[in-house]
Amino acid sequence: MYGSITKYMGTAYTGLGISHKYDELIASADETVFLKCPPTTALSTILNNTGMHFVKRGFDIDKFMNPAQPDITDAVFVKEPNLLFIQASHPVALEPSDIGGRHRVISFYDMYDEKKLREQNGYIVENLALAETALDKSLGALAEAKTIHDQWEALNIKRMKWHEHEHLIKSLKEELFGTIRLNKQSTISHRLIGSLTSAGACDFVPSITSQVKRRMLIKGLPGTGKSTLMRALGKEAESRGFDVIYGWCGLDPAGIDLVLFPELSICFLDATKPHEYDPELKGDEIVDLISMCEENEEIEEEILPISIAYREKILDATGYMQAYAQAEKAVKITMDSAIKDIIFQDKSQKLIAPH
């Protein structure tokens, strides 16, 4: 019987810069294989093949996708044996700290035809510069968008019925956990559910929740306590020994957009834009926070220009992200054209050789 594949975003382009959760993943893995290489799409194929090697043997895997090109795989985590295979040079640089122990490095820098690279050097350097400039502009626009979004949240915070919010959290804790306390330590996992991409906001909620029996879709305006609710339920689950998967926001890396309790097969998720979801599966329920936000015409008039400015900044960030992805893709294609296939295939086999 084949194992399952769950997709997450490997890194996220946020209002506070590039975010990832690889440090926690590396710390929890029994073995991590660091793949070192210049910008390339070739390692995605290797990682996909490695993942399928384990899936066909019945292991469940998590795949971590590239935010600029969400169809490109940046890392694969094999559950139970706790094996992590990760592209450790791009889009984030990660270094092993336990060589000879839990960490292994495979370098792909020597698989290139130097003559071909020299011939294309000017083109590569030009596009790397274009990519860097576009990414800086995109991150700058996202930072401005977050500042605007914080203003939006602050206005709604003032008109929330927080006593009703607190009562809802209390009742959900009682419903979910009752008096149950498991005789074990909680296993806590951190994942990114999405990011801004060249095609706009992208998330992997359908993949993450595909096996969940009960999805609680939280509907609420900015600042109405969606993340607060999920954080409170997650901490309660941790205190009772339940495993928890936290799905972090792709705009604000401090915000929670999803919390999943595998042993209960229950997931709570922010189901509002940019990842808007409505009930469509058996077991889907709405958690309504909008009704806890008092109507106030004066505040709503203040919010209107803020919401428009926010959307404009997100559009700006998306446009720059498209330019970044285009330039980065041009570099990768050029680099890939100089790969020596024999060396590439030999290196590829080293990933699964000990397994």
Side-chain angles (χ1 to χ4, degrees):
M1 183 176 179
Y2 281 13
S4 65
I5 300 173
T6 303
K7 291 184 179 180
Y8 298 95
M9 196 65 78
T11 54
Y13 299 121
T14 80
L16 295 178
I18 299 176
S19 174
H20 66 85
K21 300 298 178 184
Y22 287 139
D23 291 340
E24 292 94 337
L25 197 55
I26 291 169
S28 68
D30 291 338
E31 180 183 352
T32 299
V33 180
F34 294 77
L35 309 181
K36 290 293 188 177
C37 191
T40 180
T41 60
L43 291 192
S44 177
T45 301
I46 295 176
L47 288 166
N48 287 333
N49 291 341
T50 300
M52 286 308 300
H53 168 83
F54 288 97
V55 168
K56 290 177 180 177
R57 286 157 178 77
F59 294 101
D60 296 332
I61 70 167
D62 290 343
K63 287 177 66 174
F64 298 86
M65 314 309 292
N66 185 287
Q69 297 174 266
D71 59 334
I72 296 295
T73 304
D74 280 342
V76 168
F77 179 66
V78 187
K79 300 177 183 179
E80 296 306 328
N82 288 330
L83 303 176
L84 175 63
F85 303 87
I86 184 167
Q87 185 169 194
S89 298
H90 302 276
V92 292
L94 300 165
E95 296 298 330
S97 59
D98 191 18
I99 293 290
R102 297 184 303 113
H103 296 169
R104 186 159 58 97
V105 177
I106 301 176
S107 174
F108 288 82
Y109 281 96
D110 59 349
M111 69 176 182
Y112 293 93
D113 185 319
E114 292 290 340
K115 181 181 177 182
K116 288 185 178 180
L117 288 183
R118 280 194 295 270
E119 292 172 352
Q120 296 291 335
N121 177 259
Y123 181 78
I124 292 171
V125 170
E126 178 186 358
N127 277 280
L128 283 173
L130 290 172
E132 182 178 0
T133 299
L135 180 57
D136 285 345
K137 289 182 177 179
S138 184
L139 292 175
L142 284 172
E144 293 180 56
K146 184 184 180 305
T147 298
I148 295 169
H149 198 268
D150 289 344
Q151 297 170 4
W152 192 349
E153 289 184 345
L155 288 170
N156 284 331
I157 286 170
K158 292 192 294 186
R159 58 179 181 147
M160 265 294 285
K161 302 172 185 175
W162 289 111
H163 61 285
E164 291 187 16
H165 189 271
E166 291 171 6
H167 178 73
L168 174 61
I169 291 175
K170 183 180 178 181
S171 64
L172 285 171
K173 287 179 180 178
E174 292 173 355
E175 177 191 347
L176 294 175
F177 309 114
T179 59
I180 301 172
R181 291 189 179 274
L182 303 183
N183 188 27
K184 68 177 185 64
Q185 285 288 107
S186 173
T187 298
I188 304 166
S189 303
H190 299 276
R191 301 288 188 265
L192 289 167
I193 69 167
S195 173
L196 179 71
T197 74
S198 57
C202 173
D203 68 76
F204 293 105
V205 167
S207 176
I208 298 166
T209 63
S210 63
Q211 303 298 318
V212 175
K213 293 180 180 178
R214 186 181 179 194
R215 299 194 311 174
M216 309 294 284
L217 311 179
I218 304 174
K219 298 291 186 177
L221 304 172
T224 54
K226 300 184 291 294
S227 185
T228 300
L229 182 149
M230 287 184 277
R231 194 186 305 273
L233 295 179
K235 291 299 181 184
E236 183 71 19
E238 288 181 40
S239 71
R240 293 169 177 264
F242 288 92
D243 296 343
V244 182
I245 299 174
Y246 290 104
W248 295 88
C249 177
L251 174 66
D252 179 0
I256 297 171
D257 275 352
L258 177 148
V259 63
L260 196 157
F261 310 116
E263 290 141 327
L264 299 174
S265 196
I266 295 176
C267 175
F268 287 76
L269 64 121
D270 181 344
T272 54
K273 291 181 179 180
H275 32 75
E276 187 170 14
Y277 290 92
D278 293 312
E280 58 181 340
L281 303 175
K282 183 180 179 180
D284 282 359
E285 300 176 39
I286 293 289
V287 178
D288 177 25
L289 300 185
I290 296 176
S291 62
M292 298 181 188
C293 197
E294 293 179 340
E295 293 186 11
N296 185 310
E297 289 186 12
E298 186 177 324
I299 288 179
E300 286 168 7
E301 285 180 7
E302 286 186 68
I303 286 175
L304 182 59
I306 290 174
S307 65
I308 293 172
Y310 171 74
R311 293 187 184 96
E312 287 177 350
K313 286 299 176 185
I314 292 295
L315 285 174
D316 289 344
T318 302
Y320 291 129
M321 186 57 62
Q322 289 171 347
Y324 165 67
Q326 184 177 358
E328 187 187 55
K329 186 176 181 180
V331 171
K332 290 179 177 180
I333 291 172
T334 305
M335 294 293 298
D336 290 351
S337 69
I339 290 175
K340 295 179 180 178
D341 190 61
I342 294 177
I343 299 177
F344 175 70
Q345 296 300 332
D346 179 63
K347 297 263 186 185
S348 305
Q349 294 303 313
K350 292 181 180 180
L351 269 73
I352 59 175
H355 308 289

